Amino acid sequence: MIELEGVPELIDPVMVAAFEGWNDAGDAASTAVGHLNREWKGEVFAALDAEDYYDFQVNRPTVWMEGGSRKITWPTTRLSVVRVGGDEPRDLVLVRGIEPSMRWRSFCNEILGFAHELGVEMVVILGALLGDTPHTRPVPVSGVTSDPDLARTMDLEETRYEGPTGIVGILQEACTHAGVPAVSLWAAVPHYVSQPPNPKATLALLNRLEDLLGLRIPLGELPEDARAWQLGVDQLAAEDSEVAEYVQTLEEARDTAELPEASGEAIAREFERYLRRRDVGGPGQGPGGHATESGDLSYLRDTSGDRTRPPRPQRPEKGRPGASRPDGGGPREDGGAAEGGGGSEAGGGAEADGKGPGHGEGPEDGGTPDDPSTG
C-alpha cells in the first residue's frame, strides 16, 4: 500500500510520463514533461528508490556543492502534480525519469500503484524515435494504444508492433493489463540530426498532447527555440551539398506521401488549437495564450547569440536507403527504412534513440561528467 502525504484529492487526473534513454531521441519526450513541470510549477511528491532500478555504473549519480557541503543527486524517477485549466481545473501527474536498468515489471507496478492511489483516469506516455523525416517539415507525431475502444473514440492507431521495445512499450502494456487506459505519443526525430536538444520535436509532442487532452499548454519561448533550431540546421545542411541533397530527397518523399492527407480534419485540428490559444489566461499569460515567463530554458539556447545551436547534421551513408545510426546504438524498431512503412511502436518506420552509457545520467540536465569521487 502506497502512503501519500500532502497530496490533495485530485480532479480528473491524467498521468503524463517520459523517460530518458532508448525511447527519447533528441531528449524530446523528457524535455516535454520537464517543460510542463516548469511552466506549471509542479511539486514533487514522490521519487522511486534508485537502488531498486538503476545501475549506477550506467547512470551515475552526480555530486554538487550547496553552502560548502557536498550533495549527491541519484538517478531516479520523480512524480509531481500540477493543477491546470482555470475555470474547469484538472490535475496532471507528471512522471519524469530515466529508463530503468533492471526490474522493469516491478518498476511499472510501482508507477501503477501511484496511479491507482491517485485515481488516475488515463496514462499518456511520451516517446521519440529516429526516422527518415526531414527537419524542414512538421514533426510527425503518432498516437497509439493497445485498447481497440480507446483507438476508436480518440482517433488513435491500434498498435500492431512486434519486436524489441523500451520502458514506454512495457509501461503501456502494464497499464492495459491493469485496466488503465493508456496512450503513447511518438515524435519522429530526423536521424541525421539526432543529438539533443530538439525543441521542434518537443513542441510537436506538446501540441499533440494539447489536442489529446483538450488543454492549453503555455509554450513560453519553445516556438522561438524551434524556429531557431530549424534555421540553424538549415544553415549547417547548406554547407554540405550531400546532406542538402539528401534532405531534399526526404522532403519530396514526405510531400508526396502527405498530399492526399491535406484534409479538412487536419485544418480543423489546427483551427481548434488556434481558438484555444486565443483565450487569454490568468497571470503570466500574454496575448494568444502564451506564457510570458517560460522558466529555465537556458539549456536550449546559445546565450552568446540568443539562438538555439543544433549539432552538425550527420552525412547520410552512401548506398543505404534507411536511417543511419549516428549514435551507433540500439536496434531499429521496425526493421524497415522508409518513414511510415514499418511496424514500429509509433506506427511507422522509425527507430529508437539507442542511447548508451553516458546519456541520461542526471535526472535534471541529462547528465554531467563523471566525478572521480563518485567511484
Side-chain angles (χ1 to χ4, degrees):
M1 180 87 176
I2 296 175
E3 298 289 342
L4 297 177
E5 297 182 1
V7 180
E9 184 176 352
L10 304 185
I11 302 173
D12 302 328
V14 172
M15 179 176 283
V16 181
F19 304 94
E20 299 173 19
W22 202 62
N23 288 150
D24 192 22
D27 289 352
S30 57
T31 301
V33 173
H35 176 88
L36 297 176
N37 200 57
R38 283 189 304 274
E39 290 293 329
W40 281 322
K41 298 178 174 56
E43 297 182 5
V44 175
F45 64 86
L48 275 58
D49 189 342
E51 292 277 353
D52 291 341
Y53 304 114
Y54 295 102
D55 180 345
F56 298 141
Q57 291 183 320
V58 176
N59 298 290
R60 290 186 178 270
T62 57
V63 178
W64 49 285
M65 301 295 293
E66 181 182 58
S69 301
R70 292 171 68 83
K71 304 289 186 180
I72 298 177
T73 298
W74 296 92
T76 189
T77 293
R78 292 180 171 84
L79 292 86
S80 58
V81 63
V82 297
R83 179 154 294 179
V84 300
D87 295 335
E88 298 181 0
R90 76 179 309 171
D91 292 299
L92 297 184
V93 179
L94 304 179
V95 181
R96 186 188 183 194
I98 305 169
E99 183 177 68
S101 306
M102 62 196 80
R103 304 182 69 226
W104 284 20
R105 285 175 291 188
S106 297
F107 180 89
C108 292
N109 286 337
E110 191 163 353
I111 296 293
L112 283 170
F114 282 108
H116 175 73
E117 289 299 317
L118 295 168
V120 165
E121 298 179 349
M122 182 170 67
V123 175
V124 182
I125 315 167
L126 307 184
L129 299 163
L130 301 181
D132 294 328
T133 180
H135 72 278
T136 53
R137 298 295 185 264
V139 175
V141 178
S142 300
V144 298
T145 181
S146 300
D147 186 334
D149 295 331
L150 200 61
R152 284 192 297 271
T153 58
M154 303 194 74
D155 192 25
L156 302 167
E157 298 178 40
E158 187 178 352
T159 180
R160 292 285 184 266
Y161 171 71
E162 295 178 329
T165 189
I167 194 61
V168 172
I170 298 299
L171 180 56
Q172 178 169 327
E173 288 308 304
C175 291
T176 300
H177 287 296
V180 179
V183 175
S184 296
L185 301 181
W186 294 91
V189 172
H191 68 86
Y192 57 90
V193 59
S194 60
Q195 298 90 339
N198 190 318
K200 186 173 181 179
T202 295
L203 179 61
L205 282 170
L206 292 175
N207 283 337
R208 187 70 173 86
L209 185 64
E210 273 192 331
D211 296 338
L212 183 73
L213 301 181
L215 295 175
R216 181 169 51 83
I217 297 174
L219 299 178
E221 296 181 358
L222 198 52
E224 180 186 346
D225 287 322
R227 286 189 293 269
W229 177 88
Q230 179 171 324
L231 180 60
V233 178
D234 286 343
Q235 293 172 342
L236 292 172
E239 297 172 2
D240 189 315
S241 60
E242 188 175 350
V243 172
E245 183 180 352
Y246 180 67
V247 172
Q248 184 178 359
T249 302
L250 292 178
E251 290 173 341
E252 293 171 355
R254 172 76 177 273
D255 294 344
T256 301
E258 290 195 343
L259 187 60
E261 299 179 8
S263 63
E265 182 181 345
I267 296 172
R269 216 168 27 238
E270 288 297 321
F271 185 64
E272 288 173 1
R273 186 179 299 128
Y274 163 75
L275 290 178
R276 279 198 299 270
R277 296 202 176 285
R278 281 186 65 228
D279 299 330
V280 178
Q285 298 293 328
H290 292 273
T292 55
E293 295 182 2
S294 63
D296 181 14
L297 287 174
S298 58
Y299 64 95
L300 290 176
R301 308 186 67 81
D302 169 19
T303 54
S304 62
D306 200 35
R307 288 265 313 281
T308 299
R309 291 182 62 85
R312 183 172 295 276
Q314 295 285 329
R315 300 186 70 179
E317 296 181 25
K318 293 184 179 179
R320 277 197 67 185
S324 63
R325 291 303 317 216
D327 55 8
R332 286 187 65 90
E333 289 274 307
D334 62 347
E339 181 188 346
S344 75
E345 292 184 78
E351 55 184 315
D353 179 37
K355 291 179 181 176
H359 289 270
E361 294 179 352
E364 300 302 327
D365 61 2
T368 59
D370 294 342
D371 185 305
S373 66
T374 65

